[in-house]
Amino acid sequence: MEMAVLILFMLILFLAIIFKVPIALALFINLIVLALYAYKKNFSPREIFKMISLGIKDTKTILLVFSLIGMITGIWRLSGTIAYIIYHGTSFISPKFFYVGVFIFNSAISFLTGTSFGTASTAGIISMSISNAMGFSPVVTGGAILSGCFFGDRSSPMSTSALLVATLTKTDLYKNLKNMFRTCIIPFALTIITYQIFNLGIDARVDKEGIKLIREIFNFNPLLIIPTLSIILLSIFKVNLKINMVISIVISIIFAAVFQNKGAGEIFRALIFGFHIDSEAGKLINGGGLVSMLKMLLIVGISSGYFGFFKETDLLVGVKKYVRRLFARLPHMVTMSIMSTVISIFSSNQTLTIMLTYEMARESYGDSEKLALDMENSAVMTPSYIPWNIAGRTPLEMVGAPVLSLYFSFYHHYIVLVNTLTSVIEFRKNKKS
């Protein structure tokens, strides 16, 4: 029965992808399937409800952070913060170092915002527009954008995936971030070198006229950078993430009123519905708001309900036996990379990949911080290898890049490859000793 349920679980997701059914609906149907399985296994309706509640309770913090991120992306746009960053950030991109500039620019924005989708909808769109106008390869540019998007998605203090990993493993977010930065130095350098090799021999000039249009909409002031700087500085002092984000929202509300002369009604609409303006420049800065996160809230909320079933039933017992054997025989990162990639094929989203990878691996790790780091280097990154997984596909669709760009996202490759090789070397040393 367990094998039949898992196959049905995967089949529903496959059919949803093929027939373009909303992922949230497919996840909800799978939640019903799991509930029926538990009922068949003699769990009472009350116990089934408790299983679902258990998973949602474990991720209530991430749901709140998703909501705050939606509000931040809306109010940052209204206050002029996003426009200010985009306007001045693009001036650092040189044609001779275009792909590297795109990667670093998107990395910076994703680190500030902590969201790959938010980065793609701002810096990513600008980067691809410039690339198309100048004749750069959309495939390589798309890969550079996606690499940059996931730099922050993996290791920003505002990253919901980093927060989810910390919540699941019950580890300190800031210690995890420190470990992530330590293990991303070599991959980051290799990514820059690789994109620069692709840039050799290309001669072009950046036309900044389109980007300058956004300055006609906002009153620029250097203080507009404060809402983003506050996130970084308060993170350094380990201020609670929710409080950190609320402070940034409050500062942005003040700036929207003072610098952009926005009223209470416009501020409220930006927080809930995002920023929208009907102009050419609007294509670069429109978006954000709590409503923009509803899809992700549904996906996270529904899929988090699976946790209780995986923990309380025997659904994964048979599979876990094979997984434990792999962890005993192979380096941990080798097993994590393979396992998370397979899970990514069926899960359709990064959140569920992280959750299932944790559930399959948690018993094989004695060190929670090591588990968190290996999850960041595998389950957070591998979903972007799968063309139908929304983790990588959605940002590429936002910027109009080919799906093939998934495999030119070299930061993903190097994070997994370098850390897997390191794990292999450590495994061999321990085996010899």
Side-chain angles (χ1 to χ4, degrees):
M1 184 186 296
E2 283 72 22
M3 187 59 66
V5 169
L6 289 174
I7 292 174
L8 180 60
F9 185 96
M10 298 173 186
L11 182 62
I12 289 172
L13 286 171
F14 266 126
L15 291 175
I17 294 166
I18 294 171
F19 293 103
K20 298 182 179 179
V21 175
I23 293 298
L25 178 58
L27 292 173
F28 182 72
I29 294 173
N30 274 334
L31 186 63
I32 295 175
V33 170
L34 293 176
L36 291 174
Y37 162 77
Y39 184 75
K40 185 69 175 177
K41 286 291 186 176
N42 299 320
F43 287 92
S44 68
R46 184 176 180 179
E47 290 173 319
I48 293 172
F49 179 77
K50 187 177 180 180
M51 290 180 196
I52 297 174
S53 300
L54 177 64
I56 296 176
K57 183 180 178 181
D58 285 344
T59 54
K60 63 182 180 181
T61 299
I62 196 77
L63 295 174
L64 176 58
V65 170
F66 263 123
S67 301
L68 290 174
I69 285 178
M71 294 180 184
I72 279 182
T73 56
I75 196 62
W76 277 7
R77 283 172 166 85
L78 184 70
S79 66
T81 293
I82 290 291
Y84 187 86
I85 292 172
I86 291 172
Y87 181 82
H88 291 285
T90 52
S91 64
F92 294 102
I93 298 179
S94 167
K96 294 181 179 179
F97 308 96
F98 183 77
Y99 295 132
V100 173
V102 167
F103 169 58
I104 293 176
F105 176 43
N106 283 269
S107 294
I109 300 300
S110 69
F111 182 79
L112 293 173
T113 62
T115 166
S116 58
F117 291 176
T119 301
S121 64
T122 53
I125 291 175
I126 293 174
S127 301
M128 185 56 70
S129 298
I130 297 173
S131 174
N132 292 336
M134 297 173 61
F136 284 98
S137 168
V139 174
V140 181
T141 301
I145 292 171
L146 192 61
S147 286
C149 287
F150 270 80
F151 174 80
D153 188 81
R154 172 184 178 267
S155 54
S156 168
M158 286 182 63
S159 169
T160 51
S161 65
L163 180 62
L164 177 60
V165 170
T167 301
L168 293 174
T169 58
K170 295 179 174 59
T171 52
D172 182 75
L173 173 63
Y174 294 105
K175 285 185 179 179
N176 291 346
L177 293 175
K178 181 180 178 181
N179 291 332
M180 281 186 271
F181 277 110
R182 175 176 54 81
T183 57
C184 83
I185 295 174
I186 295 176
F188 191 85
L190 289 173
T191 302
I192 290 176
I193 293 171
T194 303
Y195 282 127
Q196 187 53 38
I197 291 173
F198 275 90
N199 213 137
L200 295 176
I202 299 177
D203 185 24
R205 290 189 301 173
V206 177
D207 180 8
K208 298 181 180 179
E209 292 302 318
I211 298 173
K212 288 182 180 179
L213 289 175
I214 63 174
R215 187 155 195 171
E216 298 176 6
I217 302 173
F218 298 96
N219 296 313
F220 279 175
N221 187 298
L223 293 177
L224 290 174
I225 199 71
I226 290 179
T228 57
L229 290 179
S230 70
I231 293 289
I232 300 172
L233 293 175
L234 293 179
S235 296
I236 293 174
F237 290 101
K238 299 185 178 181
V239 174
N240 180 275
L241 185 59
K242 296 186 290 294
I243 296 174
N244 191 347
M245 297 173 73
V246 170
I247 290 173
S248 180
I249 290 174
V250 171
I251 295 173
S252 296
I253 289 174
I254 295 172
F255 285 177
V258 173
F259 295 125
Q260 313 305 337
N261 300 314
K262 302 299 182 181
E266 291 176 293
I267 291 173
F268 177 78
R269 285 193 295 273
L271 288 169
I272 305 303
F273 301 103
F275 178 83
H276 301 279
I277 187 169
D278 187 17
S279 73
E280 289 297 318
K283 295 179 180 179
L284 304 179
I285 53 177
N286 284 348
L290 176 62
V291 172
S292 69
M293 301 300 293
L294 287 181
K295 181 178 179 181
M296 295 304 299
L297 286 169
L298 281 172
I299 290 174
V300 174
I302 295 171
S303 59
S304 64
Y306 298 164
F307 256 140
F309 295 103
F310 293 136
K311 287 182 178 179
E312 304 297 331
T313 70
D314 295 330
L315 188 60
L316 296 179
V317 170
V319 179
K320 281 184 178 180
K321 290 180 181 179
Y322 292 103
V323 171
R324 282 197 291 268
R325 291 175 187 173
L326 288 176
F327 274 114
R329 297 175 181 178
L330 298 174
H332 278 23
M333 262 300 293
V334 172
T335 303
M336 289 288 277
S337 298
I338 296 172
M339 182 175 65
S340 63
T341 300
V342 172
I343 291 173
S344 298
I345 294 174
F346 305 110
S347 65
S348 305
N349 68 87
Q350 184 193 60
T351 300
L352 186 54
T353 301
I354 292 172
M355 289 179 167
L356 291 178
T357 300
Y358 166 74
E359 185 59 30
M360 300 298 288
R362 63 188 177 90
E363 295 178 1
S364 299
Y365 279 81
D367 185 343
S368 296
E369 289 186 5
K370 183 67 167 61
L371 171 59
L373 180 60
D374 283 357
M375 287 178 64
E376 291 287 356
N377 293 334
S378 58
V380 172
M381 307 300 285
T382 53
S384 292
Y385 290 143
I386 313 304
W388 55 83
N389 195 298
I390 66 172
R393 182 67 177 266
T394 301
L396 292 181
E397 288 183 350
M398 285 181 177
V399 304
V403 178
L404 187 61
S405 295
L406 290 173
Y407 306 107
F408 286 80
S409 183
F410 296 109
Y411 185 66
H412 286 81
H413 306 335
Y414 290 132
I415 282 288
V416 176
L417 178 62
V418 171
N419 286 287
T420 299
L421 289 176
T422 301
S423 179
V424 170
I425 293 172
E426 291 178 353
F427 180 80
R428 288 183 175 179
K429 285 183 178 179
N430 293 334
K431 198 171 182 180
K432 288 181 179 179
S433 62

